């Protein structure tokens, strides 16, 4: 078996003296490498978007929400105590949503303000909290850039005045005491205040909230958990409520990513198969070029099996060279994808992934080494399969010396 490998290597080295054969051999290796590069980059990007959806979007937004049909829920403490007994719950907390109009110089910006009890209820990445009654507010970096505000600046916000007998508005002032960046478009609409301050601004009771937020361990099975919650709290809710999941607002991202993943897997299969067909065409040419060498091997008593093994080795070597080069370049290109993006943005003088359009402002990548190893193994198996027909053709080749 070892001498068949040596002969296959000699055949490959002999291609250097034949320009056409060398060109076809090089094209076969290049086509395999390019297919590996494209597959690794595309799948790593899709995995990256999936990861960012989980860590940047699902880590911040509530996975489920209970909102009343009429303005407020007033027995939210009893509801929360009931929900916390449901399995797979991380945290449950009340909130108040209200609309405000921010005035900043000659700019006006409509914003949905959220009042919450603790910052870590929304994201556990922030180990920090509000001081109640001091007009404090936390703002997203994107919104801060839009309004051109800095730490300790005051925002003038116009909100509805529910204490008045007629439709009217009032002005409140919020002090920016923290600017946070989540690296997504949520930053453009993030303005948080303490729950009790929100109740004070709206002139509502201490027991009144506009909703209850729920976060779970497995956000992708939130519908089943919300079904259990709906059954458990049905007897203590004293008014009609809506029970919504994150899928109603952000589910399109998840489904788009999964659809793209399926499309890429199918495309990857076709790309690999087409790339490894080049091994077949290359070996068919080599069989003709090496006709006399094959005849000499027959004269020396080499069996058909060993001649087949020589050409299978030949195809296997082409496949492993192309696969390894493609994987190395694919991994390198993937790890430096954002450097390339920044370079293109510098040349074009424009942002390719603006925050107000995409849910992340960079190209997320996540290399899955198990998938890369599987891709290499698939490449090696296809190399052997692609070499089988030319190897059979070699032992049937009619040669006239």
């Amino acid at each position: 078996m070892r001498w068949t490998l040596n002969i296959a290597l000699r055949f490959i080295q002999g291609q250097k003296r034949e320009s056409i054969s060398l060109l076809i051999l090089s094209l076969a290796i290049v086509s395999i490498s390019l297919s590996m590069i494209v597959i690794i980059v595309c799948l790593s990007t899709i995995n990256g978007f999936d990861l960012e959806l989980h860590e940047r979007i699902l880590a911040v937004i509530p996975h489920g929400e209970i909102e009343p049909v009429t303005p407020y829920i007033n027995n939210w403490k009893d509801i929360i105590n009931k929900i916390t007994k449901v399995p797979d719950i991380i945290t449950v907390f009340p909130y108040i949503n209200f609309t405000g109009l921010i005035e900043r110089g000659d700019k006006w910006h409509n914003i949905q303000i959220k009042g919450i009890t603790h910052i870590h209820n929304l994201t556990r990445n922030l180990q920090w909290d509000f001081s109640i009654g001091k007009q404090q507010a936390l703002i997203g970096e994107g919104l801060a850039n839009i309004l051109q505000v800095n730490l300790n600046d005051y925002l003038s916000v116009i909100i509805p005045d529910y204490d008045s007998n007629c439709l009217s508005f009032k002005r409140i002032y919020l002090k920016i005491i923290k600017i946070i960046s989540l690296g997504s478009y949520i930053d453009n609409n993030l303005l948080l205040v303490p729950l009790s301050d929100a109740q004070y601004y709206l002139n509502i009771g201490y027991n009144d909230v506009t909703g209850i937020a729920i976060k779970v361990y497995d956000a992708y099975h939130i519908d089943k958990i919300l079904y259990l919650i709906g059954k458990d709290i049905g007897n203590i809710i004293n008014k009609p409520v809506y029970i919504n999941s994150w899928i109603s607002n952000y589910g399109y991202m998840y489904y788009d990513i999964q659809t793209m993943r399926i499309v890429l897997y199918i495309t990857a299969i076709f790309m690999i198969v087409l790339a490894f067909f080049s091994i077949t065409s290359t070996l068919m040419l080599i069989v003709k070029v090496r006709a006399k060498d094959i005849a000499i091997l027959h004269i020396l008593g080499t069996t058909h099996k060993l001649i087949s093994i020589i050409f299978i080795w030949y195809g296997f070597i082409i496949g492993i060279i192309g696969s390894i080069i493609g994987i190395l370049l694919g991994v390198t290109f993937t790890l430096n994808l954002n450097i390339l993006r920044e370079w293109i943005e510098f040349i074009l003088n424009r942002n390719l992934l603006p925050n107000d359009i995409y849910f992340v402002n960079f190209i997320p990548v996540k290399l899955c080494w198990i998938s890369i190893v599987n891709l290499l193994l698939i490449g090696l198996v296809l190399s052997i399969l692609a070499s089988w027909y030319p190897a059979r053709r070699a032992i049937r080749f009619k040669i006239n010396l």
Side-chain angles (χ1 to χ4, degrees), residues 180-192:
I180 64 171
S181 174
L182 302 175
S184 70
Y185 74 96
I186 294 178
D187 289 346
N188 298 330
N189 297 284
L190 184 65
L191 186 62
L192 304 176

Side-chain angles (χ1 to χ4, degrees), residues 139-335:
I139 192 171
E141 185 179 49
L143 182 58
N145 292 333
I146 293 172
L147 299 174
Q148 298 180 348
V149 297
N150 299 307
L151 287 177
N152 299 319
D153 285 353
Y154 279 88
L155 287 180
S156 174
V157 185
I158 298 174
I159 64 172
D161 186 3
Y162 294 108
D163 195 37
S164 175
N165 294 327
C166 60
L167 179 63
S168 63
F169 301 91
K170 65 180 180 180
R171 187 184 299 270
I172 63 173
Y173 294 93
L174 301 176
K175 182 180 180 181
I176 304 301
I177 42 87
K178 197 167 187 66
I179 300 174
I180 64 171
S181 174
L182 302 175
S184 70
Y185 74 96
I186 294 178
D187 289 346
N188 298 330
N189 297 284
L190 184 65
L191 186 62
L192 304 176
V193 297
L195 180 68
S196 58
D197 286 7
Q199 292 168 331
Y200 172 77
Y201 299 144
L202 299 176
N203 297 307
I204 61 177
Y206 175 74
N207 291 322
D208 294 334
V209 296
T210 61
I212 296 173
I214 304 163
K215 302 194 79 170
V216 300
Y217 288 103
D218 188 358
Y220 300 114
H221 293 89
I222 182 63
D223 288 336
K224 295 180 180 178
I225 299 174
L226 290 180
Y227 175 75
L228 296 175
I229 290 173
K231 290 173 59 177
D232 287 350
I233 66 174
N235 58 342
I236 62 172
I237 294 180
N238 54 16
K239 59 178 62 181
V241 296
Y242 299 109
I243 300 180
N244 303 315
S245 74
W246 67 272
I247 296 176
S248 60
N249 293 324
Y250 301 94
Y252 70 92
M253 296 182 185
Y254 173 73
Y255 292 121
D256 287 348
I257 291 172
Q258 299 311 311
T259 301
M260 286 301 299
R261 188 191 301 276
I262 294 172
V263 171
L264 282 176
Y265 274 125
I266 295 173
T267 305
I269 292 173
F270 281 108
M271 287 185 64
I272 292 176
V273 171
L274 290 174
F276 282 90
F277 265 121
S278 62
I279 294 179
T280 302
S281 60
T282 301
L283 288 181
M284 292 298 291
L285 175 65
I286 299 304
V287 168
K288 291 184 178 181
V289 172
R290 295 293 178 180
K292 292 185 178 180
D293 295 325
I294 295 172
I296 293 172
L297 290 173
H298 277 295
I299 294 172
L300 294 175
T302 306
T303 63
H304 289 176
K305 180 180 178 181
L306 291 177
I307 292 175
S308 298
I309 292 174
I310 291 171
F311 285 94
I312 289 175
W313 271 119
Y314 196 110
F316 182 80
I317 293 170
I318 294 175
I320 196 171
I321 291 174
S323 297
I324 291 176
I325 291 175
I327 288 173
L328 292 176
L329 291 177
V331 170
T332 302
F333 190 77
T334 299
L335 294 176

Side-chain angles (χ1 to χ4, degrees), residues 14-56:
Q15 302 302 116
K16 297 178 181 179
R17 299 190 297 269
E18 301 166 358
S19 57
I20 296 178
S21 299
L22 179 60
L23 176 62
I24 295 175
L25 176 64
S26 301
L27 288 177
I29 294 175
V30 169
S31 64
I32 294 171
S33 298
L34 286 177
S35 66
M36 293 289 182
I37 292 171
V38 172
I39 292 167
I40 289 174
V41 171
C42 291
L43 293 182
S44 298
T45 304
I46 289 296
N47 291 335
F49 275 107
D50 196 11
L51 178 66
E52 294 303 320
L53 172 65
H54 186 76
E55 292 191 350
R56 291 184 182 269

Side-chain angles (χ1 to χ4, degrees), residues 372-389:
I372 292 175
V373 172
N374 290 335
L375 187 62
L376 176 60
L377 294 177
I378 291 172
L380 300 183
V381 171
L382 288 177
S383 300
I384 296 174
L385 294 177
S387 306
W388 180 83
Y389 178 74

